[in-house]
Amino acid sequence: MPADTKTAAIPLINYFPRGSLTLAIAVSAVLFGAPSQAASPLTPTTTVADAPFLATSTLATPARTASASISRLSDALQQAQQEQLASHRAWQRLLYYPEPSPSFTTTGQTHPSRVVNRFNPLSQQQQFFIHPAGATNPQAELDSLLTALFNPTDTGNGAAQCRFPARSQWLINTLGIDRAALPKVDCSDLGAWLNKIQPASVSVIFASEYLDNPASAFAHSFLRFDNPDINNQYYLNFTPKVTDGEPFAKFAYKSSIGGNAGEFTMTNYAKGIADYVQRDGRDVWQYQLNLSDAQVQQLAYQTWEIKDQILPYYLLKDNCASEILVLLNGLFPQKNYLANNSPMVSPAQVVRLLQKEGLIRTTAFTPSKYTSRQAYLNQPHVYDDKAATKPLSSNTVANLTNRGNPALANPLSRFDIGTHHQSANHTDNTTQTSHHALTLNYRLVYHDALDKTEGYPIGNQLTALSASISLSDSDHLDKLQLQQLGLFDVRVLHPINSAQKGNSWGANVGLQRVFDGIGTDARDHLVTNVSAALGKSYALGQPHDPHQLGELPANICYGMTSLAAQFGKGIYHGYRTGLGINLGCMAELNPDWRTTAELKLPYWLSGDSTSERYWQPKLDIGTQYDINRHHAIRVTASREWLPNSAHSKHLDEVTLKWLHYFE
């Protein structure tokens, strides 16, 4: 074969295996110069018949006949102008303009490409565009790329087709450009990279929540390029940059609020997944996407273009999960998977979105070391101790699948409305006061002890960014009150008789209403609360479903030592610190019905005198029944003893709520 006919198309045909007849025709076209409307200048693609979802992909454009194919630059520029391709969603998404781009205008772009940011070096920004103004002018970028396709000024890996294969393929397919009219290019770097990852299909990988590491509390997700060689699969990861020696508090602030540099990496899956499964003990779910060969090809090309860029990272919105949706948005311009009412995007949300959109072809599960070990603890007569520490067969893995699949979980956020009754028995034993209130509550994320356990690790609780208000009928209280404003509330139970035996712990930071045990009035006050707890827990019984062999029993009791500090004007001296014990149990009566009970025994210190040191026990009980994944009924009740109060002996509260889960 003459040297000048070698292109990246020839070795790449092995990486998109379905539709073999189409591939054979496409290869013949590249080798012998016959015009083909089905093949890209770099790799062959499938036909509409081979790709059932092609009608909604970026490659889905009205088919042009061979006689109408564009063979000259002037015709291509004119056609692109007439069809206003520079304002097309697909084009602007390939350039990483933010969503939604203002009216998708071709000029006067208000917001530049997301590649242009304070974390990304200027030299890298420039590499992402072919025109100097490409970051703000999609028309200039389109015209320059079309010109470079027909009249390349760079050869080899510097050619436009090699640097921007996703954009090139989209333009060629959209305009119906005659590929035989384009100069041949040798993309050796692109070909070597594709030879390394060998993309035959694509899967979204979900690694379960890992609350022992705050950076992984909301789980993690990434894209894997699949091929038959399981030891040679690679995944695209987007994570915040970790600076050597940087304090965790600074890293957490940058990644959640201040903004951090987000880096893409390509990692061997067989090696990388061991950290999740073995080191961290996290279950891993794999969701193969229902994409055509052409879409897999285009997704690989998009990854090639963006993988060396640095984008801003924010924990709630611009994170590992949102960047997956950005890439999928590039394939489906008629969709916007980032358009939702939630102020955050989480890995679990992405899984449920893919399921809703019918984009999940198959689901697979890789149990963590703890899930494998738990199977032995649950049924030692089925698994011996040695087998529990070795790789498991596919049949065994199927039986170990637990309830942690995020596709089964409640939606991420919750709103509830309820009625609240409070009564106080006075110290004279003859009078009692009470009042009613309407309560409204919102929680951004994630899961508490009474929520449905499916889709979350049993024994874990994480709620963040929550708020509650009440509208009272009392003449002695403010009609409208802020009841609580939570930053986060976390609790992790590692039962001592489970596979993940160890310490159980919890932490809470936020504003909440409390009664001062030595207060001079009979009302509660809003204070800042910071608390932590550490102790042990014990699991009771067996999982409800005998087929979920690796599942932790849902009935757990615990005892923890707690330390707390509260600050506010309503507290005597304006502060108090407490040391105490928390004793509690959580039980699942059936998959739709749960109950909890907790006794808190804090000993508060608010001054130097004996009267300023006191016990203030509180008993909380609650139960919830799930109507479905979106609706539930919850009842909670409490009694708080105030032995040193001048007004009340104890306070009783009962609340009935209707809960709505959404995202």
Side-chain angles (χ1 to χ4, degrees), residues 483 511-517 521 523-529 566-567 570-571 576 604 616 618 640 642 651:
Q483 292 297 115
L511 303 179
Q512 64 183 47
R513 289 200 167 270
V514 302
F515 288 89
D516 188 354
D521 57 18
R523 58 178 296 175
D524 55 12
H525 298 274
L526 191 67
V527 303
T528 299
N529 179 81
Q566 295 179 346
F567 308 91
I571 300 178
R576 64 178 180 175
W604 292 105
Q616 192 172 330
K618 185 177 182 180
E640 187 170 17
L642 306 170
L651 295 160

Side-chain angles (χ1 to χ4, degrees), residues 540-596:
L540 304 171
Q542 293 286 321
H544 281 293
D545 189 341
H547 297 293
Q548 295 170 340
L549 302 180
E551 188 62 83
L552 184 71
N555 306 321
I556 304 175
C557 291
Y558 57 89
M560 299 187 192
T561 300
S562 63
L563 180 65
Q566 295 179 346
F567 308 91
K569 292 182 178 180
I571 300 178
Y572 196 64
H573 289 314
Y575 74 93
R576 64 178 180 175
T577 58
L579 180 67
I581 298 174
N582 297 345
L583 304 172
C585 288
M586 51 183 289
E588 186 176 70
L589 306 179
N590 65 50
D592 296 320
W593 187 15
R594 291 159 304 284
T595 186
T596 62

Side-chain angles (χ1 to χ4, degrees), residues 225-249:
F225 290 97
D226 305 330
N227 60 66
D229 184 0
I230 60 174
N231 293 317
N232 195 39
Q233 296 177 342
Y234 284 80
Y235 65 87
L236 177 70
N237 203 8
F238 181 71
T239 55
K241 183 178 181 179
V242 178
T243 302
D244 291 340
E246 182 178 52
F248 177 77

Side-chain angles (χ1 to χ4, degrees), residues 315-366:
L315 177 65
L316 295 184
K317 203 68 175 179
D318 298 320
N319 53 39
C320 63
S322 66
E323 291 307 320
I324 289 176
L325 298 184
V326 169
L327 288 168
L328 292 178
N329 269 350
L331 296 181
F332 300 95
Q334 292 85 353
K335 300 279 189 177
N336 185 0
Y337 296 129
L338 287 167
N340 59 58
N341 296 322
S342 174
M344 77 171 292
V345 180
S346 77
Q349 276 180 297
V350 170
V351 172
R352 292 190 286 273
L353 174 63
L354 296 174
Q355 182 184 52
K356 179 182 177 182
E357 295 291 332
L359 286 175
I360 296 179
R361 178 181 294 155
T362 60
T363 300
F365 174 67
T366 300

Side-chain angles (χ1 to χ4, degrees), residues 273-350:
I273 204 63
D275 288 339
Y276 294 94
V277 174
Q278 295 298 325
R279 185 191 65 188
D280 298 338
R282 301 165 70 175
D283 290 327
V284 175
W285 297 82
Q286 302 116 45
Y287 306 92
Q288 189 181 72
L289 299 183
N290 203 355
L291 301 178
S292 69
D293 288 336
Q295 290 169 322
V296 172
Q297 174 187 2
Q298 184 73 349
L299 196 56
Y301 287 166
Q302 290 175 217
T303 300
W304 169 261
E305 292 185 10
I306 195 62
K307 66 180 179 65
D308 296 323
Q309 298 297 321
I310 295 176
L311 301 178
Y313 183 98
Y314 292 90
L315 177 65
L316 295 184
K317 203 68 175 179
D318 298 320
N319 53 39
C320 63
S322 66
E323 291 307 320
I324 289 176
L325 298 184
V326 169
L327 288 168
L328 292 178
N329 269 350
L331 296 181
F332 300 95
Q334 292 85 353
K335 300 279 189 177
N336 185 0
Y337 296 129
L338 287 167
N340 59 58
N341 296 322
S342 174
M344 77 171 292
V345 180
S346 77
Q349 276 180 297
V350 170

Side-chain angles (χ1 to χ4, degrees), residues 606-628:
S606 63
D608 297 329
S609 67
T610 302
S611 62
E612 295 172 334
R613 303 175 184 180
Y614 54 91
W615 292 95
Q616 192 172 330
K618 185 177 182 180
L619 175 64
D620 292 289
I621 60 174
T623 187
Q624 176 170 317
Y625 181 79
D626 302 318
I627 301 172
N628 52 43

